[in-house]
Amino acid sequence: MTARPNRKRPRPKTISAQGITGQKGINVIERVVLDMGSQWTPSGPNEVGIDGYIELFDPTSHKPLGITVAAQSKVVTSLVGNTDNLFDFWCDPSDVEYWLNGNTPVILVVSAGKVDQAYWISVKSYFKDWKPGASTTVAFDKAKNRFSEASFFDLVNIAAPKLGLYVAPLRRNEVLYTNLLHLQACPATIFVAQTDCRNQHEVWSALKTAPGESDAGWIFWEKKIFSFHNLAAAPWSSICELGTLEEFGAVEWSESKELQQKNIFVQLLNRTLRTQIPDVRFWPQEDCYALMGKPRKISYQSIKRPSKLTVISQFSSTSATTGRKFVWLRHLAFQGQFRSFSGEWYLEITPTYRFTSDGYTLERFHEDRLSGIKRLEGNRAVLSSVLFWADYLRPRAGLFKSDPLPLKFGDLLSFDATIGIDDRIWRSEDASLPAEASLFGGENTGEGEAIDL
């Protein structure tokens, strides 16, 4: 039996007119998105209601904003409406229902296949009250709904991150502690007098040879000495021209509208602070106050109970090639900045560390070790350091040389809150520090510590 010949004429390969029309609409969206400086990613051949996604980028820095908008394109042969500036477009109800599902923002772009004839709406905004059976017709305003490069900021607005799952905060009373230590009192008078000394070095040389005790609590500026100390008393009287001595109220300068006077007041606070903290030295290069001495712990009053904190730790490592042993110390430190809020002065305490090779000399890997511990240190360790310094700076019997102190500190500024944070979630994001050996690249030869708030 012979095969029956195929009498059908072969059909030539053709491109779908519907496919061309649909692609024109996609091309319009992609062109506009590229003009925005953002990125268009098509869904592919199996899309069921979303033609692609717009990833938004900062048009200036070209960095991703981390937000995305889904887009559906619809192409019509002509934009005919009730007036020259208005036209209607009917949406399939199943499409509307699909677009409204999920958390991703969706836009509908209707065009005639040309960039200058493309218009858009935010589906979830336009149909926010829509229910099955309701109208699905969209009324477009050509002036208001034009889809162009200028639509970028509107897209950012609708795609801005919103909580996909909202859990109400815990209703409980909590106290929030800041790192602002209240300055309760300072010397009431600022003394100013001229001097024959030409610079700070000459002032120091003269003070060393003069009778009486002196410290660094003064400022030399424009051949004048500024200090909380009475410049008419020794040893200041030996270097100051007493006929030029003037007295000013400290409050007058602390609240002055003249920036120069307020700056001098703040400098005097800084200089005085450096002179009154026991076992602490100010290091200008690192702009920090660091505890000095041997490795040890110091007791302090934490939030709940007395506790101890290791303030100076010793570490060591041995070279694998030479067998040489290297030793260094980690000193608890802080950066201090006096700030004024609502007529009150505070010392802003920013905890940090200073690494030394012998207790004084800055260790050569100081910056690396400091950045390493800053990356790994958690909230509890930082809070513990702030609480330590707040307690250490307050007057305590036998700790400070002078009584009363020039600067008297009170409590950390705190706030009462009526809502709280779930500590279990907070602590899960604040893992404990790893062993200090791995933290600093050596073995901790001092005692360990437990943070107790």
Side-chain angles (χ1 to χ4, degrees):
M1 179 180 291
T2 59
R4 185 175 181 179
N6 187 355
R7 296 181 180 179
K8 291 184 178 180
R9 298 180 60 183
R11 303 173 100 184
K13 294 288 185 179
T14 60
I15 189 171
S16 167
Q18 184 178 359
I20 292 176
T21 301
Q23 189 60 44
K24 285 182 178 180
I26 301 297
N27 292 348
V28 166
I29 297 177
E30 183 176 26
R31 171 67 182 276
V32 173
V33 170
L34 291 176
D35 288 342
M36 293 177 183
S38 294
Q39 181 171 288
W40 167 258
T41 303
S43 298
N46 295 322
E47 64 90 13
V48 293
I50 298 296
D51 287 310
Y53 297 88
I54 302 169
E55 183 179 0
L56 298 170
F57 287 70
D58 187 319
T60 302
S61 65
H62 308 296
K63 294 181 178 180
L65 298 177
I67 50 179
T68 302
V69 179
Q72 175 67 24
S73 171
K74 297 293 184 180
V75 184
V76 295
T77 54
S78 61
L79 302 171
V80 180
N82 299 329
T83 67
D84 291 340
N85 199 46
L86 299 174
F87 72 92
D88 294 336
F89 181 82
W90 179 85
C91 300
D92 190 307
S94 61
D95 282 339
V96 174
E97 190 168 1
Y98 175 74
W99 295 332
L100 293 176
N101 287 331
N103 292 329
T104 306
V106 181
I107 64 170
L108 168 66
V109 181
V110 177
S111 70
K114 298 180 180 179
V115 173
D116 62 348
Q117 296 183 34
Y119 306 91
W120 73 287
I121 55 109
S122 168
V123 171
K124 294 190 176 183
S125 296
Y126 195 92
F127 292 105
K128 62 180 180 180
D129 297 322
W130 183 84
K131 295 180 180 179
S135 172
T136 58
T137 299
V138 179
F140 283 92
D141 183 324
K142 293 182 180 178
K144 180 180 178 181
N145 300 119
R146 173 81 182 277
F147 186 62
S148 67
E149 182 181 351
S151 305
F152 173 81
F153 293 102
D154 290 325
L155 293 180
V156 170
N157 185 51
I158 68 171
K162 300 175 179 60
L163 292 175
L165 176 63
Y166 177 75
V167 179
L170 300 176
R171 291 291 174 180
R172 65 184 183 192
N173 295 326
E174 285 193 344
V175 179
L176 306 180
Y177 291 89
T178 71
N179 64 337
L180 299 174
L181 186 63
H182 184 220
L183 177 64
Q184 284 187 333
C186 71
T189 306
I190 296 176
F191 297 87
V192 183
Q194 292 184 1
T195 178
D196 289 333
C197 297
R198 293 172 296 180
N199 51 51
Q200 292 191 55
H201 177 72
E202 288 191 6
V203 174
W204 274 119
S205 297
L207 289 173
K208 288 179 180 178
T209 59
E213 293 186 2
S214 62
D215 56 34
W218 51 271
I219 298 170
F220 176 85
W221 185 61
E222 291 188 341
K223 298 200 70 176
K224 293 180 181 179
I225 301 291
F226 298 79
S227 180
F228 288 133
H229 296 293
N230 185 353
L231 300 181
W236 315 99
S237 56
S238 63
I239 64 171
C240 293
E241 298 179 12
L242 298 184
T244 65
L245 180 61
E246 296 180 274
E247 299 179 17
F248 300 92
V251 174
E252 190 181 326
W253 286 33
S254 69
E255 299 178 356
S256 175
K257 299 298 182 182
E258 294 187 20
L259 184 59
Q260 178 179 304
Q261 288 185 336
K262 183 168 285 189
N263 284 343
I264 291 176
F265 173 75
V266 172
Q267 288 184 55
L268 284 176
L269 292 180
N270 286 322
R271 295 292 183 90
T272 304
L273 177 64
R274 297 171 195 177
T275 66
Q276 77 173 42
I277 317 177
D279 300 327
V280 170
R281 179 171 175 175
F282 178 74
W283 299 89
Q285 182 180 351
E286 293 77 49
D287 187 28
C288 73
Y289 300 81
L291 276 157
M292 309 299 293
K294 299 179 180 179
R296 66 188 186 277
K297 289 184 176 183
I298 294 181
S299 299
Y300 73 102
Q301 180 61 47
S302 63
I303 295 177
K304 296 180 180 179
R305 60 183 69 87
S307 187
K308 285 188 176 182
L309 186 67
T310 301
V311 296
I312 301 178
S313 302
Q314 180 173 299
F315 301 88
S316 65
S317 64
T318 303
S319 172
T321 55
T322 64
R324 181 182 174 185
K325 187 176 182 179
F326 297 91
V327 178
W328 64 93
L329 300 172
R330 183 197 69 187
H331 302 253
L332 189 67
F334 76 93
Q335 293 176 318
Q337 179 70 50
F338 283 97
R339 299 186 182 278
S340 176
F341 298 102
S342 303
E344 297 287 342
W345 283 89
Y346 300 87
L347 175 64
E348 181 183 42
I349 299 172
T350 303
T352 186
Y353 300 92
R354 189 173 188 268
F355 293 87
T356 68
S357 57
D358 56 7
Y360 294 91
T361 308
L362 195 67
E363 207 258 343
R364 61 173 179 164
F365 297 114
H366 164 76
E367 293 295 337
D368 293 336
R369 301 191 196 283
L370 181 60
S371 61
I373 193 172
K374 291 280 188 179
R375 286 195 303 269
L376 296 172
E377 204 168 40
N379 173 72
R380 295 181 64 197
V382 174
L383 176 58
S384 180
S385 295
V386 171
L387 292 173
F388 169 82
W389 284 116
D391 187 63
Y392 194 81
L393 291 169
R394 297 190 193 102
R396 285 193 287 176
L399 183 60
F400 293 86
K401 294 180 179 179
S402 58
D403 187 23
L405 292 172
L407 305 182
K408 183 179 179 182
F409 294 99
D411 297 323
L412 289 169
L413 180 63
S414 61
F415 302 92
D416 293 324
T418 57
I419 59 175
I421 299 173
D422 189 333
D423 290 334
R424 292 172 299 175
I425 299 176
W426 177 271
R427 289 168 184 166
S428 68
E429 299 297 327
D430 186 21
S432 300
L433 290 174
E436 294 200 30
S438 61
L439 244 176
F440 303 104
E443 178 186 359
N444 182 359
T445 56
E447 295 182 7
E449 67 180 85
I451 299 172
D452 185 4
L453 303 182

